[in-house]
Amino acid sequence: MTKYPLDTSGQYVPLLLAKEYPEICNCGLVYVDTWPIAPPMLAVFHPDMMSQFTQETSLPKHDMLRKEFMPFTQCKDLLNLEGQEWKAWRSIFNPGFSSKNLLSFVPAMLEEVHVFRAWLKSVAKSGEVVKLEEQAMKVTIDVIGRAVLDTRLHCQTRTNRFYNVMKNQVSWLLVDNSPSTIRKAMNPFRLLMTWNNNRIMKNFFQPHIERSIARHGTPIKGPQTITDLAIKSYVTEVEPVSQSSNANARFINQTIEHLKMFIFAGHDTTASTLSFAFHLLHTNPATLATLRAEHDAVFGTNPSTASATITASPQLLNQLPYTSAVIKETLRLFPPVGTVRRGSASFYLTHPETGTRYATDGLMLYGCSMAEHRLDAFWPRAAEFVPERWLARDGEPLHVRKNAFRPFELGPRNCIGQELAQLELRVILAMTIREVDVCSVYPADGAMVLGELAYQCLVPGTLTGHSKGLMPVTVQLRE
């Protein structure tokens, strides 16, 4: 790793090892001793072996993940819960994240995207270089606020205390045992800060949840939020929340932890994907032209009427195969996270071709989608940005193989918010890409990873992969 910039995302490590030492890594996995920084790891980047601990058997999340998120959600969220409790809450929240329900929020999403579009146009007029991902985080959290709470957070246009407190809370989490993390853990103010941050976030969420409880059972005008539908499922499957103050408290406290995770994970990862998508479109003009042509065909050739067209027929957003292909190809090259599971003495991975068995006892199994997505063994033209692969039919050279695409993971523990994330991205691209050119700006002699100036990096105080420099861009208005 000394060959690469210090801020290179850890997701690259298994991929770099596979490229540097193919004779060791050609079996699709590698044992890595990261002690004392992190637990010993088995990094897996063969899709069929990744499926063995996520799909065929869904191993529990690794204890390091629980240690990391305990101060944030007390591990009472869908990412960290296990067993029957996880299954029950997943069932409770599934209706709110259904494609049908999310489409009902498209008009509200458009309101927030209009603000983002106006910001892009203001940047174009100023001629400034700005950090795209900073604003992308704000539009994505504004969108999620509408779907989860039916409220406008206005993060794009004003200071939002909840947003700042949430980001501060994340900055206090302990991700490993590195010297900087140990210093953070020893900070005498850390416990006070995390307690106070949780208090503020609870005070923010509680009135919104209580409002949803109060209107439960009465006709609701307009779309039902993810929280509204969760209450409906909870009453049906667990207990009535309107007849017991204890039930109300249980539901409210647990729901707060889920909502914290939904909003944090949803805005952070979607924002980085949006930023990388704009960069990849800028550096691949033929793809950009094809994308714009699809939008002309679906929404009409006048971009100024797109909002009204989409509001009248939100289902048109599901008729954008090339736009979806661009989003998937961006996620293939820059997946924000990978999964970490806990190995055991009784669980072995088996190579699908050789039959060789690999022990997992005492190890953190890391499903490294970044490495798997970029290996020629599983993806034709793996290093290239080729959205057309997502339109290829079975038997064609670019057809995507089974188990290979894993940015949201596969199996029962896949990301519940993946439909919302992809819908957000389609809306934002549909409302902006024909009116502005967003141009990433990196020095030609800047640091690179695998030939990429806009590589995925570690940003202090964050948990997932982000674009280098939070994607510096200029914006130009299109005629």
Side-chain angles (χ1 to χ4, degrees), residues 12-78:
Y12 282 107
V13 173
L15 175 62
L16 297 174
L17 288 173
K19 290 181 175 295
E20 191 78 19
Y21 305 102
E23 69 282 1
I24 296 175
C25 303
N26 61 8
C27 55
L29 51 74
V30 62
Y31 290 89
V32 183
D33 185 4
T34 54
W35 186 89
I37 302 300
M41 175 175 69
L42 178 56
V44 187
F45 36 88
H46 189 300
D48 297 332
M49 285 194 285
M50 295 167 81
S51 72
Q52 291 172 25
F53 64 89
T54 58
Q55 293 159 257
E56 298 169 26
T57 299
S58 183
L59 291 183
K61 301 295 179 72
H62 193 270
D63 294 340
M64 189 180 78
L65 196 69
R66 296 182 58 79
K67 178 183 176 182
E68 180 179 338
F69 282 104
M70 184 61 72
F72 188 44
T73 64
Q74 292 68 58
C75 294
K76 294 293 186 179
D77 61 89
L78 282 183

Side-chain angles (χ1 to χ4, degrees), residues 32-333:
V32 183
D33 185 4
T34 54
W35 186 89
I37 302 300
M41 175 175 69
L42 178 56
V44 187
F45 36 88
H46 189 300
D48 297 332
M49 285 194 285
M50 295 167 81
S51 72
Q52 291 172 25
F53 64 89
T54 58
Q55 293 159 257
E56 298 169 26
T57 299
S58 183
L59 291 183
K61 301 295 179 72
H62 193 270
D63 294 340
M64 189 180 78
L65 196 69
R66 296 182 58 79
K67 178 183 176 182
E68 180 179 338
F69 282 104
M70 184 61 72
F72 188 44
T73 64
Q74 292 68 58
C75 294
K76 294 293 186 179
D77 61 89
L78 282 183
L79 179 66
N80 290 285
L81 286 174
E82 297 288 353
Q84 189 59 39
E85 189 176 10
W86 168 82
K87 185 176 181 180
W89 280 101
R90 177 73 185 233
S91 177
I92 287 167
F93 279 106
N94 274 336
F97 284 97
S98 69
S99 297
K100 180 180 178 181
N101 188 59
L102 294 175
L103 276 178
S104 69
F105 278 96
V106 165
M109 292 182 188
L110 286 168
E111 282 191 85
E112 307 302 341
V113 175
H114 289 162
V115 179
F116 180 67
R117 183 179 60 181
W119 175 80
L120 287 174
K121 291 181 177 181
S122 71
V123 172
K125 292 178 181 178
S126 74
E128 295 177 319
V129 176
V130 297
K131 295 180 179 180
L132 176 64
E133 196 168 340
E134 285 186 348
Q135 194 71 11
M137 290 183 196
K138 295 175 182 178
V139 64
T140 53
I141 199 170
D142 279 350
V143 167
I144 296 170
R146 301 297 290 271
V148 171
L149 302 171
D150 190 26
T151 191
R152 298 201 71 172
L153 299 178
H154 296 290
C155 291
Q156 297 179 82
T157 55
R158 65 183 74 158
T159 299
N160 182 288
R161 190 186 188 197
F162 163 74
Y163 178 65
N164 291 337
V165 165
M166 181 188 69
K167 292 181 78 67
N168 181 262
Q169 186 77 327
V170 170
S171 73
W172 286 105
L173 301 184
L174 308 178
V175 299
D176 53 31
N177 298 319
S178 65
S180 62
T181 301
I182 292 172
R183 287 194 297 271
K184 185 193 300 183
M186 295 174 64
N187 188 312
F189 295 103
R190 178 175 176 268
L191 290 179
L192 176 62
M193 290 298 297
T194 55
W195 171 83
N196 191 50
N197 287 339
N198 279 328
R199 179 188 65 83
I200 294 170
M201 287 189 285
K202 180 177 181 179
N203 289 340
F204 168 76
F205 281 118
Q206 187 159 336
H208 293 288
I209 300 171
E210 288 175 343
R211 182 190 64 185
S212 289
I213 290 174
R215 66 183 186 179
H216 171 66
T218 63
I220 297 176
K221 294 182 179 179
Q224 296 186 74
T225 67
I226 289 168
T227 304
D228 290 333
L229 291 177
I231 292 169
K232 184 177 180 180
S233 296
Y234 187 88
V235 169
T236 302
E237 300 177 22
V238 183
E239 60 184 340
V241 295
S242 58
Q243 299 177 10
S244 164
S245 60
N246 290 333
N248 281 2
R250 280 193 296 272
F251 177 81
I252 290 170
N253 290 336
Q254 184 92 36
T255 300
I256 286 171
E257 308 307 336
H258 289 297
L259 298 188
K260 283 193 283 188
M261 183 60 77
F262 291 156
I263 291 177
F264 159 66
H267 96 282
D268 198 60
T269 55
T270 307
S272 67
T273 302
L274 178 64
S275 300
F276 280 119
F278 274 119
H279 165 71
L280 290 166
L281 289 168
H282 168 61
T283 54
N284 293 270
T287 299
L288 178 57
T290 303
L291 182 69
R292 286 171 170 159
E294 178 175 76
H295 293 179
D296 284 345
V298 174
F299 305 124
T301 56
N302 185 353
S304 66
T305 65
S307 180
T309 301
I310 295 171
T311 299
S313 303
Q315 66 273 12
L316 290 175
L317 292 164
N318 292 331
Q319 299 174 28
L320 300 171
Y322 198 77
T323 305
S324 295
V326 166
I327 292 167
K328 288 180 179 179
E329 187 70 348
T330 302
L331 285 163
R332 181 184 73 83
L333 290 171

